Amino acid sequence: MPGVPDPGPEEIAAAVAVLRRGGLVAFPTETVYGLGADATDVDALARLYAVKGRPTDHPVIVHLADAAALADWAAAVPDAARRLADACWPGPLTLVLRRRDRVPDAVTGGRPTVGLRVPDQPVALALLRAFGGGIAAPSANRFGRVSPTTAADVRADLGADVDCVLDGGPCRVGVESTIVDCTGPEPVIARVGGVPRERIEAVLGHPVSVQDRGAIAAPGTLPAHYAPRARVHLVAAGPGAPAPDPGAFPGVGPGVDPVGLAHRLLGTGRRVGVLALVVPAGLPDAVEILAPPADADEYARVVYARLREADARGLDDLLVVAPPAVGLGAAVADRLTRAAAAGADDPT
Ligand code: TXA
Ligand code: MG
């Protein structure tokens, strides 16, 4: 694609050298940018946690070049996991499997399981192939903040704390991978993400449940996460807009009346913006409209950029209408719900 940055073999080799000496490399994936470290180097992992500002009992995903490397990390690969890997890798799917003993506790947060994924992004795959091992990588943002979808986002958030940033242009999917826990009697979706639930169910041939949020203490599953500085409010869709389906994703309700809320917030001198597929009718003129995505897939691609834009504009409050919770819309609704929960206790 013209205009898309394409790190060449020399840049990839330099990044591999950074990983080998225990450094941190930020790299693009199809979902969000990752902050990578050698998954077998406990000192590098300690630095990774320190830079993220993340509690050390939270596991990180190990990225692999291909499914053949599964056996190096997983003690057992159940049939369902094998089918999902065959159907979805490379792609935005993370499998949680029983780990092999060699996987450091620093990767798994001391759990008996490990999260594994093969990303579908040429720069990520070039890096993984050249490195030849697993790269542990959480999203390349500080703990609790908005995930980065461009190299510039990474630099703005992590600055000099990252040794190398590979620029692969903006992320194609825009929300994190779907996590499927395959360690129990039935596969369970532990985080909705880039592979729609419908696709997981089609591959497995039966319904798959989404684990109750908060049931496992892990970043990305905490209720208050993915938050910009601006307070995020989930509001009702305007007339004519596709309604969120509250049944399809628990926690996404119809929200509150956007017009009344906008008047109340503006009345206290706050700056207010709105993000929606269809901007609700009747909003006061002072409400700043962030460019509406055309559909759920575009919403996923731009949602983090729009949350950052809200902060860059200096908005105090962002009214958001979640998309219908089907396809990638479910992941977008999930992230917006968490962003809204992050500000819920704030007295202002
Ligand atoms: O799309 C993605 O998954 C991105 C890119 C960089 O690959 N990565 C990402 O990583 O979102 P992070 O660290 O921000 O979120 C990882 C999620 C966390 O919710 C973590 O709890 C879960 O994966 N996870 C990792 N290993 C796990 C394990 N062994 N058991 C349960 N959950 C695990
Ligand atoms: Mg994250």
Side-chain angles (χ1 to χ4, degrees):
M1 250 191 291
V4 175
D6 181 19
E10 279 163 33
E11 236 186 291
I12 296 291
V16 167
V18 169
L19 291 172
R20 289 207 203 292
R21 62 166 189 264
L24 303 181
V25 173
F27 62 97
T29 81
E30 76 280 38
T31 59
V32 300
Y33 275 70
L35 179 63
D38 178 347
T40 61
D41 181 338
V42 291
D43 295 326
L45 292 164
R47 191 161 155 240
L48 178 68
Y49 277 83
V51 165
K52 275 234 25 142
R54 177 167 173 166
T56 50
D57 61 344
H58 289 197
V60 289
I61 295 168
V62 178
H63 296 70
L64 307 173
D66 53 49
L70 260 179
D72 295 339
W73 301 88
V77 184
D79 182 54
R82 178 66 62 191
R83 276 189 286 150
L84 288 170
D86 286 347
C88 302
W89 281 354
L93 170 75
T94 295
L95 296 174
V96 174
L97 300 170
R98 303 243 153 245
R99 69 160 165 173
R100 287 188 56 173
D101 291 342
R102 67 181 285 252
V103 186
D105 280 341
V107 162
T108 69
R111 290 153 204 252
T113 59
V114 61
L116 301 165
R117 111 171 172 94
V118 179
D120 183 18
Q121 210 287 349
V123 177
L125 289 172
L127 178 70
L128 285 160
R129 287 188 190 120
F131 180 61
I135 299 179
S139 51
N141 54 287
R142 309 257 186 217
F143 186 62
R145 307 307 302 188
V146 177
S147 300
T149 52
T150 67
D153 294 342
V154 176
R155 291 193 191 98
D157 199 3
L158 300 180
D161 284 342
V162 52
D163 302 306
C164 166
V165 180
L166 292 174
D167 188 346
C171 298
R172 178 172 59 76
V173 175
V175 289
E176 295 83 350
S177 59
T178 299
I179 300 177
V180 181
D181 184 340
C182 296
T183 61
E186 292 287 340
V188 167
I189 295 175
R191 177 176 73 183
V192 292
V195 177
R197 175 187 190 166
E198 296 88 335
R199 170 85 176 127
I200 302 287
E201 294 182 336
V203 171
L204 295 178
H206 58 75
V208 178
S209 63
V210 176
Q211 190 163 1
D212 201 21
R213 281 171 299 159
I216 56 171
T221 63
L222 296 174
H225 210 63
Y226 307 103
R229 276 190 307 276
R231 281 186 62 186
V232 175
H233 309 263
L234 275 182
V235 297
D245 175 358
F249 195 82
V252 179
V256 296
D257 165 35
V259 177
L261 180 59
H263 279 295
R264 279 204 302 286
L265 292 167
L266 290 167
T268 61
R270 295 172 72 88
R271 280 187 57 196
V272 180
V274 62
L275 174 62
L277 288 173
V278 179
V279 175
L283 287 175
D285 286 345
V287 173
E288 297 177 38
I289 296 170
L290 304 190
D295 55 28
D297 288 2
E298 191 189 337
Y299 210 152
R301 205 152 50 237
V302 303
V303 63
Y304 290 134
R306 295 287 190 277
L307 295 181
R308 286 169 190 275
E309 184 188 343
D311 284 345
R313 283 175 179 243
L315 297 181
D316 299 301
D317 296 271
L318 182 65
L319 314 183
V320 296
V321 181
V326 292
L328 284 191
V332 176
D334 171 78
R335 303 308 188 268
L336 291 174
T337 303
R338 292 177 201 277
D345 298 331
D346 187 321
T348 60

